């Protein structure tokens, strides 16, 4: 391995552009890889930019097919989230960007792996966990952890002083990340959770950067989604590849207010942050697949499904894609998702709601759910109630003077809690 050869995950943004120039100054031969994860950007022109900045080579690699056949369908079928409301777009793509870098580094006979993530966020972890799984012997460099540039302004000055002053503006303080699943917006006025912020300003920045139009009238009509093993396979009866389904839903409902999740999240590093996630396809599909799961899974299996979705979401968030735990979770998911085939009608406005679920695996029985006459024997429930509540029968409750129930009466004994408080108070006053 040539010690001064490196492969950089180049996005075309300010950070990785500065990194190309900086690496050149550290005498590295820079091979920039632009990984297509479905970001709406002109990758050819970004490739030219990397070369202009001094990269020895720049190449584009399409990671969409890999994403669409592995983690993306899994995340959809499990309605996977982190902390319940982040639908994971960025986290899904990072390990696959790292995998492209590793492949490129191997083709060079080995190389240093470089990423542009800071030392504050999750992305550094996702990149570096993937590097450690796929190529533990390749050296890793994260310029943010070693250089003395402090932020956007420093980077712009750095580039200017070297004759590159392209299109960077200090005022554009948002950090965007887009892929086929979502668009994330962080930074700027979102940085301080204790401060009000102007949503118009945030959306203005989004519209500015990602020329998106208003939603069309057709978006108001209900859509029918067909799922096969928890993964959408057709819209309104027309079979479509998953990538097209995501693209269509994301474009269609990009400006629907329900398509934005404003999230305060706990990063893996311990830092709290606030972000706006624009993920219409994920939101709609999550609503639909959850309705399918509620219809087709029995109660204990549905509970398991929900827990797995949270657990799977958490390991993806933490960048543990290339790991035993991810493989094991996916294997155990198989038995559940094979029950999730059918069709779901979703109305997109005012908020997505499901009006109809049809599936051969449905356990939903109208004859049981109905309030009308049926041959259900209501008296059967008596035994169920008696046995289910045996566990609590015999516990005496006391009534207040006015008849309201206040608490369980326990046999007289020491109040352990009060005793503990008292003894710890004594300990404190002795040591003080
Ligand atoms: N907070 C989200 C996550 O950790 C989004 C990160 C977006 N990354 C970025 N470099 N802007 O997945």
């Amino acid at each position: 391995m040539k010690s001064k050869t490196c492969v950089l995950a180049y996005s075309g943004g300010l950070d990785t552009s500065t990194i190309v120039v900086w690496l050149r100054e550290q005498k590295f031969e820079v091979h920039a890889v632009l990984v297509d994860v479905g970001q709406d950007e002109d990758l050819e022109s970004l490739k030219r930019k990397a070369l202009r900045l001094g990269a020895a080579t720049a190449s584009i690699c399409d990671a969409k097919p890999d994403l669409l056949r592995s983690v993306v369908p899994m995340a959809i079928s499990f309605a996977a989230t982190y902390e319940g409301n982040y639908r994971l777009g960025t986290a899904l793509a990072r390990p696959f960007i790292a995998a492209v870098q590793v492949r490129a580094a191997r083709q060079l006979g080995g190389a240093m792996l470089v990423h542009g993530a800071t030392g504050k966020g999750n992305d550094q972890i996702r990149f570096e966990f993937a590097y450690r799984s796929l190529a533990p012997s390749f050296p890793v460099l994260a310029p943010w952890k070693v250089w003395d540039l402090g932020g956007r302004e420093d980077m712009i000055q750095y580039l200017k002083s070297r004759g590159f002053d392209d299109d960077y503006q200090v005022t554009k303080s948002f950090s965007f990340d887009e892929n086929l699943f979502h668009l994330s917006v962080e930074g700027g006025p979102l940085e301080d959770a204790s401060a009000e912020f102007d949503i118009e300003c945030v959306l203005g920045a989004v519209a500015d950067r990602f020329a998106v139009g208003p939603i069309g009238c057709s978006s108001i009509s209900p859509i029918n989604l067909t799922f096969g093993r928890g993964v959408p396979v057709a819209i309104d009866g027309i079979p479509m590849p998953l990538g097209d389904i995501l693209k269509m839903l994301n474009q269609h409902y990009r400006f629907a207010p329900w398509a934005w999740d404003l999230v305060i999240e706990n990063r893996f590093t311990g830092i709290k942050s606030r972000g706006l996630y624009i993920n219409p396809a994920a939101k709609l599909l999550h609503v639909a697949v959850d309705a399918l799961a509620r219809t087709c899974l029995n109660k204990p299996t549905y509970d398991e499904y929900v827990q797995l979705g949270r657990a799977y979401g958490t390991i993806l968030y933490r960048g543990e894609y290339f790991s035993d735990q991810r493989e094991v979770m996916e294997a155990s998911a198989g038995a559940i998702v094979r029950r999730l085939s059918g069709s779901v009608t979703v109305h997109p406005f005012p908020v997505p709601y499901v009006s109809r679920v049809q599936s051969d695996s449905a356990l939903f029985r109208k004859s049981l759910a109905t309030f009308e006459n049926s041959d259900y024997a209501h008296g059967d429930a008596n035994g169920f109630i008696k046995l289910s509540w045996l566990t609590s029968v015999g516990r005496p409750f006391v009534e207040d003077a006015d008849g309201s129930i206040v608490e369980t009466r326990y046999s007289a004994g020491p109040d352990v809690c009060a005793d503990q408080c008292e003894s710890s108070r004594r300990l404190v006053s002795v040591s003080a």
Side-chain angles (χ1 to χ4, degrees):
M1 184 189 308
K2 285 194 278 169
S3 65
K4 282 292 190 180
T5 305
C6 69
V7 175
L8 166 69
Y10 181 66
S11 71
L14 176 59
D15 298 49
T16 53
S17 294
T18 310
I19 289 172
V20 175
V21 178
W22 183 85
L23 286 168
R24 291 282 299 125
E25 282 185 10
Q26 318 302 310
K27 306 273 179 282
F28 275 99
E29 178 184 291
V30 183
H31 298 271
V33 289
L34 274 139
V35 185
D36 183 354
V37 288
Q39 63 275 49
D40 187 16
E41 294 198 80
D42 179 355
L43 297 180
E44 283 298 337
S45 88
L46 294 177
K47 180 173 149 179
R48 289 192 293 276
K49 183 169 165 184
L51 295 170
R52 243 185 358 260
L53 291 163
T57 68
S59 52
I60 298 174
C61 177
D62 188 1
K64 297 195 298 301
D66 279 347
L67 279 167
L68 288 166
R69 80 168 76 93
S70 55
V71 69
V72 170
M74 220 31 174
I76 293 173
S77 61
F78 268 85
T81 64
Y82 177 66
E83 295 183 335
N85 57 357
Y86 171 39
R87 291 165 217 280
L88 298 171
T90 300
L92 303 182
R94 292 296 190 225
F96 289 80
I97 298 175
V100 170
Q101 273 183 281
V102 169
R103 216 175 302 140
R106 285 227 167 84
Q107 278 162 8
L108 291 164
M112 180 172 272
L113 302 164
V114 188
H115 66 77
T118 71
K120 288 185 172 181
N122 300 310
D123 289 333
Q124 54 166 340
I125 301 171
R126 295 166 185 157
F127 278 120
E128 294 182 34
F129 276 3
Y131 299 155
R132 293 201 59 76
S133 284
L134 302 176
S137 65
F138 288 6
V140 174
L141 175 61
W144 264 107
K145 300 181 191 176
V146 294
W147 67 17
D148 50 16
L149 302 177
R152 293 181 63 81
E153 206 160 337
D154 282 2
M155 291 189 282
I156 292 167
Q157 280 314 322
Y158 181 88
L159 285 176
K160 271 205 175 125
S161 66
R162 273 108 180 135
F164 303 104
D165 56 358
D166 262 23
D167 46 358
Y168 308 114
Q169 291 162 27
V170 185
T171 48
K172 285 201 173 173
S173 52
F174 291 103
S175 172
F176 296 105
D177 181 60
E178 192 189 28
N179 60 39
L180 50 84
F181 210 64
H182 88 163
L183 166 63
S184 77
V185 191
E186 292 179 325
L190 296 172
E191 264 174 5
D192 181 1
S194 72
E196 259 299 341
F197 71 94
D198 181 4
I199 190 80
E200 294 295 329
C201 151
V202 180
L203 293 177
V206 173
D208 220 28
R209 191 165 183 293
F210 304 93
V212 282
I215 46 173
C217 314
S218 60
S219 340
I220 300 166
S221 34
I223 46 173
N224 190 265
L225 295 162
T226 309
F227 286 86
R229 299 174 69 91
V231 181
V233 292
I235 294 189
D236 292 335
I238 303 164
M240 271 187 220
L242 179 57
D244 291 354
I245 291 179
L246 293 174
K247 203 174 198 168
M248 184 176 150
L249 297 176
N250 274 337
Q251 270 172 7
H252 230 63
Y253 301 109
R254 186 156 257 186
F255 272 129
W258 53 255
W260 316 329
D261 289 310
L262 186 69
V263 173
I264 295 175
E265 83 202 50
N266 291 295
R267 289 183 185 163
F268 194 10
T269 55
I271 296 174
K272 288 186 188 292
S273 70
R274 182 164 67 171
L276 177 70
Y277 301 104
I278 302 181
N279 44 21
K283 189 100 167 222
L284 264 175
L285 294 171
H286 281 189
V287 169
V289 78
D290 178 65
L292 191 58
R294 285 168 185 271
T295 306
C296 299
L297 304 178
N298 66 16
K299 162 74 178 161
T301 318
Y302 177 71
D303 289 346
E304 190 61 31
Y305 168 82
V306 171
Q307 274 180 29
L308 260 172
R310 276 296 272 268
Y312 188 63
T314 302
I315 63 152
L316 294 180
Y317 184 85
R318 293 152 60 119
E320 299 169 16
Y321 185 78
F322 298 107
S323 67
D324 280 6
Q325 57 273 35
R326 194 264 309 165
E327 284 188 355
V328 168
M329 254 180 230
E330 289 186 356
S332 54
I336 297 185
V337 295
R338 73 190 167 86
R339 293 172 166 81
L340 302 184
S341 297
S343 77
V344 181
T345 304
V346 186
H347 290 247
F349 288 101
V351 290
Y353 68 93
V354 170
S355 59
R356 182 174 152 273
V357 182
Q358 272 194 327
S359 167
D360 290 344
S361 329
L363 295 174
F364 200 105
R365 305 254 178 76
K366 183 188 171 230
S367 60
L368 293 177
T370 185
F371 285 99
E372 306 303 332
N373 288 350
S374 72
D375 54 9
Y376 175 74
H378 291 264
D380 285 357
N382 282 336
F384 171 78
I385 292 169
K386 271 191 193 146
L387 293 186
S388 310
W389 208 238
L390 272 183
T391 185
S392 293
V393 170
R395 172 70 67 222
F397 278 84
V398 261
E399 278 180 23
D400 231 354
D402 65 2
S404 56
I405 294 168
V406 283
E407 63 180 36
T408 311
R409 187 203 302 278
Y410 294 98
S411 59
D415 184 337
V416 177
C417 185
D419 278 5
Q420 268 173 0
C421 291
E422 183 48 33
S423 54
S424 55
R425 226 174 287 132
R426 255 182 271 129
L427 275 181
V428 171
S429 58
V430 168
S431 57

